[in-house]
Amino acid sequence: MSLRSASRSLPSLRARLISIVLLPIGILAPNVASAQCTDTFSTAFSQGLVGSSGIPYQELFPLGVGASLNAVVSTMNSVNTSFLSPASAFVYSRSSTEAGQMSGGVWARALGGVVETRTETAGKVDASKALANSFNGGLVPVPPVTGTGTCRGQVKETYAGYQFGFDVGSLNVGGSGGNIHFGVMAGYFASRSKDTTGDLAYQQTFPGGITLDMFSPPGSFRADTQVPFLGLYGVFIQGNFFADAQVRQDFYLMRMTDSLNGMSDQPQQARGISVGGSLGYKLPLPGDWFIEPSGGLMYSLLRVDEINTPGSASFSLLNAGSVKIDDIESIMGRASLRIGTTVKLGPVTSQPFVTGTVFHEFAKDATATSRIGGGEQFACTAVFSQSTCNIPGTPTFFHNQFHDQILSTSTSRVGTFYQVGLGTAASFGNSGWLGYGRADFKFGDSVDGWNLSTGLRYHW
């Protein structure tokens, strides 16, 4: 589709905007469950007049379908869930009869995985500040764009990362038998996200018998994200009880590409801070078996710089604008149950285990505002009144300025999902070396994926 400026003749204008402003509209529900964008907007884009194929109005707005917000939130969730394991899992806390004896250690771990996240983005349009210039001269307000839009999408993310830390501890504090450790950590997380939402064809019927064959194009958004981070952590261990807390600063360095929005390897930045903690208890069972319930909660706040888009060729760059993503909060909770046993083979003591975890995102939907702020170009508009919408081919023509139209969106979160993990931990005699490896599988209504991780620690 292409929109031409007002200086072109009317026969050459291939893309027209059909607005039905005086009656509520009806919509024929698509028969594809994984729809991208459908709406009940009073306005749609058409490559011709009545009877031609159209594009949902939400497609006009910069990053209006929600894929960019989904990719940012998905990366945030991957960082948090991947590094949400208790810090106590990396701290070896030996017993000591001497009160206040010092201990310490260094550790590192690496991970990688794939996750697919499904979301739904709802949008409302505010065209109250937009003006149109009629052929008869004079500026008139753009007719209100009533109704709502719904875009269902899916983002596939491939990621890898590493983390390392150093801690010191005081053993048998005050003769209580409890050990306290404090440490610093740093790491790096790299993510590649791609909007894998398919296209969708459906029909939308407007009052007066006007029916458009609508087409929502497949997703084209991609993002490469690097997240260096650093933080502090503390661990308390007494007997089989453990508790820990951590704070982490994240720096998001993104590069975004989206042909539907005219973006090509465009840089973008965001900053986040996370605070979390967990606690648990290891219950010994007969025959060297054990069961370990634990729980954790992490709060994160991410601030994304405003995103500017140059507009797409489909709309002759008339839809250039910006996207302001509101601060994204995450309150990710987990409840885990780990079951394992202890196996001794010579100097090596291993603990194979299986873990089941329930994650839940308590935060509300992520919100954003997409604003068309392009130049002073105009696009041809066909505005139908109640008296003419029953007479195809007899509209009143306007040259509509897209400038100053606003789309407010709300994108759903992952809700509840589950994770099953298999792995083993091992200690190597009195060498001071410990290690582990595990595989995790995520599944839920909005999330599917897998994750592999391994770690190593040396203590003294």
Side-chain angles (χ1 to χ4, degrees):
M1 177 191 298
S2 64
L3 296 181
R4 313 278 177 94
S5 68
S7 62
R8 304 292 178 90
S9 63
L10 282 176
S12 67
L13 294 171
R14 300 189 310 161
R16 294 182 170 90
L17 176 64
I18 299 178
S19 298
I20 304 172
V21 299
L22 298 181
L23 293 175
I25 72 168
I27 183 169
L28 299 182
N31 56 12
V32 180
S34 59
Q36 188 182 46
C37 288
T38 60
D39 61 57
T40 59
F41 286 133
S42 57
T43 302
F45 289 98
S46 174
Q47 292 190 6
L49 287 177
V50 177
S52 301
S53 60
I55 292 180
Y57 197 71
Q58 197 159 340
E59 300 277 356
L60 164 70
F61 289 86
L63 302 173
V65 302
S68 59
L69 191 52
N70 186 4
V72 173
V73 173
S74 177
T75 301
M76 180 183 185
N77 289 341
S78 295
V79 172
N80 285 342
T81 58
S82 297
F83 298 117
L84 194 57
S85 300
S88 53
F90 307 101
V91 175
Y92 177 76
S93 194
R94 56 188 174 85
S95 60
S96 174
T97 57
E98 180 183 346
Q101 183 178 356
M102 299 302 293
S103 177
V106 293
W107 55 269
R109 63 172 167 170
L111 57 87
V114 175
V115 64
E116 291 186 340
T117 305
R118 295 172 291 277
T119 59
E120 182 172 291
T121 298
K124 290 187 177 182
V125 174
D126 179 5
S128 61
K129 296 182 180 180
L131 298 175
N133 187 9
S134 72
F135 277 168
N136 297 324
L139 294 175
V140 297
V142 170
V145 181
T146 60
T148 59
T150 300
C151 294
R152 297 181 180 91
Q154 178 171 290
V155 167
K156 182 176 182 180
E157 178 190 3
T158 303
Y159 60 87
Y162 58 83
Q163 184 183 22
F164 54 89
F166 165 79
D167 55 73
V168 294
S170 178
L171 308 180
N172 192 18
V173 178
S176 65
N179 303 334
I180 297 179
H181 302 259
F182 294 99
V184 296
M185 63 178 177
Y188 173 84
F189 187 90
S191 167
R192 175 164 292 182
S193 302
K194 181 180 180 181
D195 184 3
T196 57
T197 309
D199 58 12
L200 175 71
Y202 63 99
Q203 284 190 327
Q204 183 169 330
T205 300
F206 297 85
I210 299 174
T211 299
L212 290 180
D213 293 321
M214 304 294 289
F215 178 73
S216 183
S220 64
F221 181 85
R222 301 195 311 275
D224 291 326
T225 306
Q226 302 175 67
V227 189
F229 60 89
L230 52 86
L232 303 171
Y233 63 93
V235 178
F236 174 75
I237 299 175
Q238 184 164 24
N240 292 326
F241 172 80
F242 61 87
D244 60 67
Q246 61 175 289
V247 59
R248 195 185 69 229
Q249 178 74 60
D250 305 323
F251 306 91
Y252 285 67
L253 310 172
M254 299 171 282
R255 304 198 75 87
M256 298 179 173
T257 297
D258 189 350
S259 60
L260 293 179
N261 286 275
M263 301 171 66
S264 179
D265 200 31
Q266 179 170 311
Q268 189 66 35
Q269 294 186 6
R271 294 153 300 283
I273 187 168
S274 300
V275 179
S278 63
L279 54 83
Y281 193 88
K282 186 176 182 179
L283 297 168
L285 299 176
D288 292 328
W289 285 83
F290 66 88
I291 183 170
E292 183 184 276
S294 66
L297 186 70
M298 179 169 285
Y299 172 82
S300 299
L301 179 67
L302 182 66
R303 292 179 174 173
V304 184
D305 291 349
E306 186 171 282
I307 304 172
N308 295 307
T309 63
S312 64
S314 299
F315 294 99
S316 294
L317 307 184
L318 294 172
N319 62 333
S322 62
V323 181
K324 177 64 175 71
I325 297 177
D326 297 328
D327 291 351
I328 304 172
E329 286 188 312
S330 174
I331 308 173
M332 184 69 73
R334 70 161 183 89
S336 302
L337 186 65
R338 188 167 71 109
I339 300 175
T341 187
T342 301
V343 179
K344 294 183 179 181
L345 296 174
V348 178
T349 300
S350 62
Q351 283 190 344
F353 61 85
V354 58
T355 302
T357 301
V358 179
F359 288 97
H360 182 76
E361 175 60 80
F362 292 94
K364 297 179 180 180
D365 291 353
T367 57
T369 302
S370 177
R371 185 188 192 95
I372 301 175
E376 298 301 319
Q377 299 185 73
F378 296 92
C380 183
T381 304
V383 180
F384 290 83
S385 70
Q386 183 177 4
S387 61
T388 60
C389 66
N390 290 319
I391 310 175
T394 60
T396 302
F397 286 98
F398 285 82
H399 287 92
N400 180 37
Q401 188 177 4
F402 287 160
H403 189 77
D404 277 339
Q405 294 199 52
I406 298 172
L407 175 73
S408 299
T409 61
S410 176
T411 299
S412 63
R413 308 299 287 271
V414 294
T416 301
F417 63 98
Y418 310 92
Q419 180 173 288
V420 176
L422 302 170
T424 186
S427 61
F428 304 93
N430 296 320
S431 66
W433 288 99
L434 306 170
Y436 86 95
R438 64 182 290 171
D440 295 290
F441 305 89
K442 300 179 179 69
F443 56 94
D445 292 339
S446 302
V447 176
D448 289 295
W450 57 267
N451 181 88
L452 299 176
S453 63
T454 185
L456 194 64
R457 176 182 173 89
Y458 179 75
H459 69 91
W460 57 86

